[in-house]
Amino acid sequence: MKIDVAKQRILLLKDQISPSDAEKKAWEKKTNAFDALSKVTGFFSRPKDDDFELTYQEHRYQPFWHVLAKARYVYDRNVTYQVSVGGKEVRSVTFLSTDYEETNGHIHVPVVEHCVQDEQDEVFMDGVSAKNAPDLALYIKKPFTEVAGKIETLTPKGSILVPPSARVSAIMRDSLSKMIKGIQADTILEEHVEVSAIELWYRPVYAFQFAWKSKGKDGIVEVDGVTGAVASGNRIFREYLGKVLDQDFLFDIG
């Protein structure tokens, strides 16, 4: 069996949203950060802007893994086809100068099956939660830069690079286990497994933490730096501010 593994790559998605536009979007949707509380309050009165305070903001790059594995098997196998005869009166059939006796209304013809079997497994996994996230596929069609040297030289000053908690070796083991199959064959002509993509992607995210002063509550709004989508957040990554990403340990495949 031939197994090929692609070169590992780090890819940095480019910001399509400016910091000022991201902050404006966050202010417009700030009540989204407080979920049920904002909905209940909204029934009685609309909260005023001066009751909110922006207490923290960050621009971070959040990781996800993309692994694509493919397999191709070409092989022959000897089998017997069971073919119904034309009627109860048939006792034998001659096919290509070979006679086949009827058995229980059928004849049994030995043949060689020429088989081609293609398999594919594509994984998009959030690098922080270590959960499969197929929706992340939309990002690989967006503008990006391939990282050749230190990733910090390509990111704005003050941006946070979040290290992945999910390990690519585990993803690859799972993908390869799906690709390497036991096949029923008499002659194997081709057995080829290829991991054609091992990629660590970083996507930009703006996060804004607001304090709802009269309620004594804090909430986070996230603005996607690529699509501009706004959503409530559940954490910030202040602890990684100023830390250098150790790129030598990002890929742990053997």
Side-chain angles (χ1 to χ4, degrees):
M1 176 181 289
K2 181 182 179 184
I3 300 178
D4 292 325
V5 179
K7 176 186 174 184
Q8 302 116 51
R9 300 198 300 164
I10 301 177
L11 305 164
L12 189 69
L13 286 156
K14 296 180 179 180
D15 264 301
Q16 305 298 312
I17 306 295
S18 69
S20 58
D21 286 342
E23 184 173 344
K24 182 179 178 182
K25 285 175 174 284
W27 270 103
E28 291 173 350
K29 300 290 186 179
K30 58 187 175 296
T31 56
N32 289 3
F34 300 92
D35 297 330
L37 178 61
S38 65
K39 293 177 182 178
V40 172
T41 305
F43 281 118
F44 301 100
S45 63
R46 183 178 179 83
K48 296 181 180 179
D49 281 349
D50 58 9
D51 197 15
F52 295 89
E53 180 184 358
L54 178 60
T55 57
Y56 173 77
Q57 59 184 351
E58 68 184 23
H59 177 253
R60 67 177 184 255
Y61 288 90
Q62 200 159 310
F64 70 88
W65 291 105
H66 173 222
V67 173
L68 177 60
K70 300 177 181 179
R72 184 176 180 86
Y73 297 92
V74 181
Y75 55 94
D76 293 342
R77 65 185 174 205
N78 299 313
V79 296
T80 300
Y81 280 13
Q82 181 174 283
V83 183
S84 299
V85 298
K88 292 187 290 184
E89 70 279 8
V90 177
R91 293 295 176 265
S92 66
V93 173
T94 301
F95 176 66
L96 296 178
S97 302
T98 300
D99 293 332
Y100 298 94
E101 295 296 322
E102 176 270 344
T103 303
N104 295 325
H106 298 86
I107 61 172
H108 297 84
V109 183
V111 300
V112 178
E113 293 180 328
H114 306 291
C115 307
V116 177
Q117 188 173 334
D118 291 307
E119 307 284 346
Q120 178 172 306
D121 184 54
E122 187 169 23
V123 178
F124 292 90
M125 180 176 286
D126 186 282
V128 176
S129 68
K131 293 181 179 179
N132 285 323
D135 291 347
L136 292 171
L138 70 90
Y139 289 102
I140 67 174
K141 298 177 182 178
K142 303 295 184 181
F144 66 87
T145 299
E146 183 172 353
V147 178
K150 292 293 184 182
I151 192 172
E152 289 82 7
T153 63
L154 302 175
T155 59
K157 186 178 180 180
S159 295
I160 295 172
L161 285 163
V162 182
S165 59
R167 300 176 70 84
V168 72
S169 58
I171 303 172
M172 286 190 61
R173 277 196 301 270
D174 185 58
S175 288
L176 286 173
S177 69
K178 296 175 183 176
M179 294 300 99
I180 299 175
K181 296 181 176 294
I183 57 174
Q184 180 186 348
D186 292 284
T187 304
I188 297 177
L189 305 173
E190 181 182 345
E191 244 184 335
H192 184 202
V193 175
E194 178 186 14
V195 184
S196 56
I198 310 171
E199 299 169 344
L200 176 61
W201 288 77
Y202 270 98
R203 62 185 184 94
V205 177
Y206 294 91
F208 301 87
Q209 188 172 43
F210 291 96
W212 193 341
K213 293 182 285 187
S214 64
K215 305 296 182 183
K217 299 289 185 179
D218 292 312
I220 299 169
V221 173
E222 293 181 354
V223 180
D224 191 304
V226 176
T227 66
V230 181
S232 60
N234 54 27
R235 66 170 293 189
I236 54 177
F237 293 83
R238 195 192 315 231
E239 67 269 25
Y240 295 113
L241 183 62
K243 291 190 176 181
V244 176
L245 194 68
D246 190 342
Q247 295 176 203
D248 292 335
F249 290 92
L250 291 176
F251 296 94
D252 61 340
I253 60 175

